[in-house]
Amino acid sequence: MNEIQQSPYMGKIPIPQFKMIPLSKLLWPQPNRGKESTHVDIIKESVLDNGLMGAIKVFKEDGDGKHKVADANHTTDSLKDIFKENPNIKVPCLVLWWKDEEDIEDVQQTIITLNHINKVWSLYDYIKSHAEISSRKNHKIMCEIRDNMRKYTKFKMTNGVVASIYTGDSRNHGSLKNGTYELKDCDRFYVDKFLNKLSWFIDQEGKKHFKATFLRRLVNKLWQSARTLNDTNLWEKLFNKVLDDVSTIISLPNQPLPDGDEVFDEFYSNVKKKVGLSS
């Protein structure tokens, strides 16, 4: 690997080294979020109309003579499209020489930091990024969550709903965003029941009836009951009764599902009483 001369510091702050690098040597790094073709097209039009008004931030050259792009990956792809007949054209880059391009954890954290300043990452962006770091002990479960976010969208189960199924939270999902989430063995039963039964139920009743906010509340409340009851048979009885009552509401003309904290709490409390549980 070719060593680059370290740039001077600005006080105690390291500053990047400017370098013209061929487009063909710029790579989209693995622990990044997915590519959005529409975003690439928008940037391409802007570059063609206004010029390239900034440098691309990259990591040091790796063992293959390539540079992972730390920021402006979509810009890089738009330039590759513009100059597809001349892939070795050099573009202005800022080399983050103090960052370790071989350390996937450092690469990911740098990308998240830079992107957080610009376009906010979605929940799926975080999951996808964590799932691509195979050295982590929770790699398998992160891949599972990523794949299920893709799979269950057809059942009107948004990424937030799928995240709630795994974490039990109705929103935020901090452990998924920071990559520390792990599924306990005792929780596997509930996750599988949620995924299978809820997707089947939504498909049977019709996706048009379900808002993501309702589904997140439903999952959150059922998780709370799972923690309290610690009885899978009783919990499943409660789950089935909740779905039965939801089905009854859907069958009534012009009757919306309980969507709102107070009205949903009242609905859930009534269902619990029907199966012999205190509200």
Side-chain angles (χ1 to χ4, degrees), residues 91-108:
V91 295
C93 295
L94 294 174
V95 182
L96 308 178
W97 53 267
W98 65 97
K99 293 293 183 179
D100 187 353
E101 78 285 357
E102 302 294 343
D103 183 346
I104 195 166
E105 298 283 351
D106 195 21
V107 169
Q108 184 199 37

Side-chain angles (χ1 to χ4, degrees), residues 64-118:
D64 296 323
K66 307 285 188 178
H67 293 265
K68 297 182 181 73
V69 176
D71 190 33
N73 277 283
H74 287 92
T75 298
T76 302
D77 272 18
S78 71
L79 291 172
K80 287 182 177 181
D81 192 26
I82 293 171
F83 296 105
K84 55 189 172 187
E85 301 299 328
N86 186 13
N88 291 316
I89 191 170
K90 293 183 177 181
V91 295
C93 295
L94 294 174
V95 182
L96 308 178
W97 53 267
W98 65 97
K99 293 293 183 179
D100 187 353
E101 78 285 357
E102 302 294 343
D103 183 346
I104 195 166
E105 298 283 351
D106 195 21
V107 169
Q108 184 199 37
Q109 190 54 51
T110 301
I111 292 170
I112 290 176
T113 299
L114 289 170
N115 278 273
H116 185 70
I117 297 171
N118 299 315

Side-chain angles (χ1 to χ4, degrees), residues 28-276:
W28 188 295
Q30 277 303 308
N32 200 357
R33 55 184 167 189
K35 298 181 183 181
E36 297 180 21
S37 57
T38 54
H39 193 44
V40 172
D41 291 339
I42 290 172
I43 295 177
K44 177 181 175 181
E45 288 186 20
S46 176
V47 170
L48 290 172
D49 290 342
N50 305 294
L52 179 62
M53 296 187 288
I56 298 168
K57 297 182 183 74
V58 300
F59 294 93
K60 297 194 302 290
E61 186 178 286
D62 62 20
D64 296 323
K66 307 285 188 178
H67 293 265
K68 297 182 181 73
V69 176
D71 190 33
N73 277 283
H74 287 92
T75 298
T76 302
D77 272 18
S78 71
L79 291 172
K80 287 182 177 181
D81 192 26
I82 293 171
F83 296 105
K84 55 189 172 187
E85 301 299 328
N86 186 13
N88 291 316
I89 191 170
K90 293 183 177 181
V91 295
C93 295
L94 294 174
V95 182
L96 308 178
W97 53 267
W98 65 97
K99 293 293 183 179
D100 187 353
E101 78 285 357
E102 302 294 343
D103 183 346
I104 195 166
E105 298 283 351
D106 195 21
V107 169
Q108 184 199 37
Q109 190 54 51
T110 301
I111 292 170
I112 290 176
T113 299
L114 289 170
N115 278 273
H116 185 70
I117 297 171
N118 299 315
K119 183 182 177 184
V120 177
W121 276 36
S122 68
L123 181 57
Y124 177 79
D125 290 333
Y126 284 104
I127 299 299
K128 178 182 178 297
S129 178
H130 295 314
E132 289 175 347
I133 302 181
S134 59
S135 59
R136 291 181 180 172
K137 62 180 181 178
N138 64 347
H139 170 250
K140 185 176 179 180
I141 189 62
M142 284 298 185
C143 288
E144 177 184 319
I145 297 171
R146 176 201 61 196
D147 294 344
N148 281 336
M149 283 182 169
R150 294 170 179 169
K151 176 181 178 180
Y152 288 100
T153 52
K154 64 181 180 181
F155 296 105
K156 197 66 181 292
M157 291 166 65
T158 63
N159 293 336
V161 173
V162 173
S164 293
I165 286 174
Y166 282 91
T167 67
D169 301 328
S170 59
R171 54 181 67 88
N172 297 327
H173 313 293
S175 62
L176 291 179
K177 290 181 178 179
N178 63 29
T180 60
Y181 175 81
E182 293 186 63
L183 179 64
K184 298 177 182 177
D185 291 340
C186 60
D187 289 342
R188 169 54 71 183
F189 169 85
Y190 301 103
V191 167
D192 289 346
K193 285 293 180 182
F194 274 126
L195 291 172
N196 296 326
K197 186 165 290 189
L198 205 53
S199 60
W200 172 85
F201 182 72
I202 293 170
D203 191 46
Q204 290 293 308
E205 296 292 339
K207 293 180 285 186
K208 65 180 181 180
H209 299 292
F210 300 95
K211 293 182 179 179
T213 50
F214 172 80
L215 293 174
R216 288 201 307 270
R217 285 190 181 93
L218 177 64
V219 171
N220 176 247
K221 284 294 184 182
L222 282 166
W223 261 119
Q224 289 179 25
S225 294
R227 307 293 189 213
T228 304
L229 296 172
N230 195 28
D231 183 325
T232 56
N233 291 326
L234 187 53
W235 179 84
E236 192 165 10
K237 181 180 178 182
L238 172 62
F239 191 4
N240 289 335
K241 185 56 181 172
V242 168
L243 298 184
D244 286 344
D245 279 23
V246 169
S247 182
T248 298
I249 294 173
I250 290 174
S251 69
L252 300 174
N254 302 317
Q255 184 66 37
L257 292 176
D259 195 11
D261 289 336
E262 291 185 9
V263 66
F264 186 89
D265 286 349
E266 182 180 359
F267 160 78
Y268 192 74
S269 178
N270 289 333
V271 176
K272 288 174 68 178
K273 290 177 182 178
K274 291 177 182 179
V275 294

